[in-house]
Amino acid sequence: SQQGEEDPQALSIQEGENATMNCSYKTSINNLQWYRQNSGRGLVHLILIRSNEREKHSGRLRVTLDTSKKSSSLLITASRAADTASYFCATVVLNDYKLSFGAGTTVTVRA
Amino acid sequence: DAGITQSPRHKVTETGTPVTLRCHQTENHRYMYWYRQDPGHGLRLIHYSYGVKDTDKGEVSDGYSVSRSKTEDFLLTLESATSSQTSVYFCAISFHGGDSAYEQYFGPGTRLTVT
């Protein structure tokens, strides 16, 4: 069964706006990762946040983690057409190294 | 793509035929994974390997087998393909050490259609 669940399933925004998507998970984790998948391509690792971290930034990406609520959010600021993609959260549970993926959020950025 | 290739990239096969997909890496990473991706399911782990000749099952392993005789190659075999195995298959690699915490690097995928 999937550990992570993303919300919303789909998101459509205007270029320049911010996009926020959320991920909830079920069991204690070692870390949580976000990936992007452009249409017809493999997944690309975006950012990793460890269980003892609360917030992390990478360029226009901001990730938060709330272990008490078992949830994470990914914020993409000042979106561009090139950000159109599906975004997946994935968790690594304690004492393991395999990833468990959610079903993803499809983001469409309109010009 | 981080030194990962998959072959073939596209394949159409008939029900009941055996199919082997190949994943090849040039990164010398220890861990390799096979996933399938279907609409509404995200990625689901089929099998994984934590070293040469060391493999284990994932959550959707029925109907699939794997082999890893060399660090760089991880083969996925559908012994007798069924229509339910029509999917896009992704290979991934990872390592652990230093600051790495098992982030994975993905191949371009193989689109398999079973008719």
Side-chain angles (χ1 to χ4, degrees):
Chain A
S1 62
Q2 290 171 318
Q3 159 82 317
E5 298 286 342
E6 289 95 338
D7 173 64
Q9 290 185 338
L11 182 60
S12 180
I13 56 174
Q14 201 74 30
E15 203 165 26
E17 293 180 339
N18 296 341
T20 300
M21 59 210 85
N22 304 295
C23 171
S24 59
Y25 57 91
K26 299 171 185 173
T27 59
S28 296
I29 60 171
N30 175 291
N31 67 73
L32 184 144
Q33 304 176 28
W34 286 92
Y35 289 79
R36 182 187 75 232
Q37 184 180 34
N38 293 96
S39 182
R41 306 291 296 273
L43 277 72
V44 174
H45 181 265
L46 293 177
I47 196 166
L48 179 152
I49 186 165
R50 299 175 190 269
S51 60
N52 61 353
E53 298 174 313
R54 292 296 166 258
E55 187 170 314
K56 207 160 181 182
H57 296 256
S58 176
R60 294 183 296 112
L61 304 180
R62 173 183 167 238
V63 169
T64 62
L65 179 65
D66 187 334
T67 54
S68 67
K69 295 181 179 178
K70 292 186 170 59
S71 67
S72 174
S73 67
L74 171 66
L75 168 68
I76 305 172
T77 60
S79 63
R80 306 167 181 169
D83 295 327
T84 293
S86 292
Y87 293 82
F88 296 88
C89 71
T91 52
V92 177
V93 299
L94 293 177
N95 302 314
D96 202 348
Y97 55 85
K98 301 185 295 297
L99 289 178
S100 179
F101 285 86
T105 294
T106 299
V107 175
T108 302
V109 181
R110 306 186 307 272
Chain B
D1 297 321
I4 309 168
T5 57
Q6 292 185 231
S7 58
R9 293 292 314 279
H10 301 271
K11 186 169 182 65
V12 179
T13 192
E14 293 185 347
T15 299
T17 60
V19 176
T20 295
L21 308 183
R22 180 180 183 239
C23 176
H24 178 78
Q25 62 149 327
T26 57
E27 306 296 323
N28 201 36
H29 285 359
R30 176 181 175 188
Y31 301 93
M32 299 186 75
Y33 311 83
W34 275 108
Y35 294 92
R36 61 178 290 173
Q37 184 176 34
D38 304 289
H41 287 279
L43 272 76
R44 292 182 291 175
L45 183 64
I46 305 171
H47 280 280
Y48 61 99
S49 170
Y50 44 95
V52 173
K53 299 190 188 303
D54 292 324
T55 65
D56 207 345
K57 297 178 179 180
E59 62 177 300
V60 290
S61 60
D62 287 348
Y64 302 94
S65 62
V66 290
S67 66
R68 191 171 179 197
S69 59
K70 298 185 290 185
T71 298
E72 57 266 36
D73 289 326
F74 193 31
L75 303 180
L76 176 70
T77 297
L78 290 66
E79 302 291 346
S80 177
T82 68
S83 58
S84 64
Q85 293 176 312
T86 291
S87 187
V88 180
Y89 291 85
F90 287 99
C91 174
I93 63 175
S94 71
F95 71 99
H96 182 60
D99 289 335
S100 169
Y102 299 115
E103 53 264 45
Q104 295 186 9
Y105 302 91
F106 284 78
T110 293
R111 183 173 295 275
L112 176 68
T113 302
V114 183
T115 61

